[in-house]
Amino acid sequence: MKSLSLSLLFIAGFFLSCQSQTNTSKSKPAPVRKGLSVMATAANKFIQLLSDKQKEKTLFHFDDKERYDWHYIPKSRNGIPLKDLTEKQRTAAMALLRTALSDTGYKKTTAIIELENVLRAEEGRPANDEYRDPTNYLFSIFGDPARDTIWGWRFEGHHISFHFSSDDNRLISGTPGFLGSNPAVVLSGPEKGKYVLKDETELGFALLHTLTAKQLETAIISNNAPGDIVTASSRKAMIQNPKGILYSDLDTAQRKAFLQLLSLYIHRYTPVYAADMMHDIEDAGLNKLQFAWAGAQQPGVGHPHYYRIQGPTIIIEYDNTQNNANHIHTVVRDLKKDFGGDQLLEHYQQGHHHHD
């Protein structure tokens, strides 16, 4: 039996409860808000377990420009990495992540963390290598979840970037939300056959393959897939002049396949927030959604392909081109509420006048 890696051990640890420590600040803290949400409670527990030095790394103002600095590549990041946390602190941190994601979303996220070990072995890196490192994923918290009605947080590292914004105890934004997988399918070694984003690939092809030859003329926007998601790590996501086939031009069975694909991405998140996203999409009009495809029309390593769903409120992208088309990037962008949206930031700033 394979031994569990360090990261798997601490990921499993979110099942353990974590005890809060008392606030040791000398200045009298503002009163904690009554009836905190599950997410705010989990964030507050995590913060209370941190030392003052750790808090300096982890905590930012909600309107700090750091909140908009995001990427999905291996790079230096601000925040506190898992490797700098004790087991108890890691458990509390992963419990916070658990409040924002669905079961499948959480499992995919932790499986992507585990792929760092696969890459480390594939690339012949030493066991303590930091470029491929399952403990080099960072938490950052913006605002004070115990006392501010508006606050947010980020969980980010290689191939994972989630940004959450809360207002009045309600999760109102979980985007940008990026999950990637390299390798897409593990081809050798003890993890051979592992395929983290399999559903994203298979449901995309399933929808494509329902289309008639005539419909494909509209849906296929290029014979060549772009080298990455088109929106990249932009501050504001937008693809001008959307192309593809409209939801309104699909038959009943095709619409079902379309909605299965859309639902897959939305349900990475906790059910209440997923329902809110779906409500926004429906309000803006399902018939305005477009499905676009580029590249190979059959799956498999060596067949680069790309698709996206775009509508008035959302862009979802999937790209599998790198590493001989065995390297997936996916992203969900809310065109109105990325990072919580401009209105939320204005609302926050009206109630906070700090000078540091």
Side-chain angles (χ1 to χ4, degrees), residues 47 50-61 64 66 78-81 139-142:
I47 291 169
L50 300 176
S51 68
D52 288 347
K53 193 173 181 182
Q54 287 174 314
K55 286 176 184 174
E56 286 176 17
K57 280 186 167 184
T58 310
L59 305 180
F60 302 84
H61 291 302
D64 194 307
E66 172 64 32
N78 291 320
I80 193 154
F139 282 87
S140 310
I141 295 178
F142 302 91

Side-chain angles (χ1 to χ4, degrees), residues 36-55:
L36 293 181
S37 66
V38 173
M39 183 180 289
T41 300
N44 196 40
K45 275 188 176 182
F46 172 54
I47 291 169
Q48 287 181 340
L49 289 171
L50 300 176
S51 68
D52 288 347
K53 193 173 181 182
Q54 287 174 314
K55 286 176 184 174

Side-chain angles (χ1 to χ4, degrees), residues 1-5 8-9 190:
M1 181 178 163
K2 289 182 303 201
S3 61
L4 280 175
S5 69
L8 258 183
L9 283 171

Side-chain angles (χ1 to χ4, degrees), residues 91-128:
T91 298
M94 298 308 283
L96 170 58
L97 183 62
R98 195 69 188 77
T99 67
L101 302 177
S102 65
D103 290 345
T104 53
Y106 185 83
K107 284 173 187 170
K108 284 175 185 178
T109 302
T110 51
I112 288 164
I113 292 172
E114 281 299 304
L115 282 178
E116 292 296 281
N117 289 323
V118 173
L119 286 176
R120 197 183 255 178
E122 278 190 2
E123 296 170 359
R125 298 174 182 272
N128 62 348

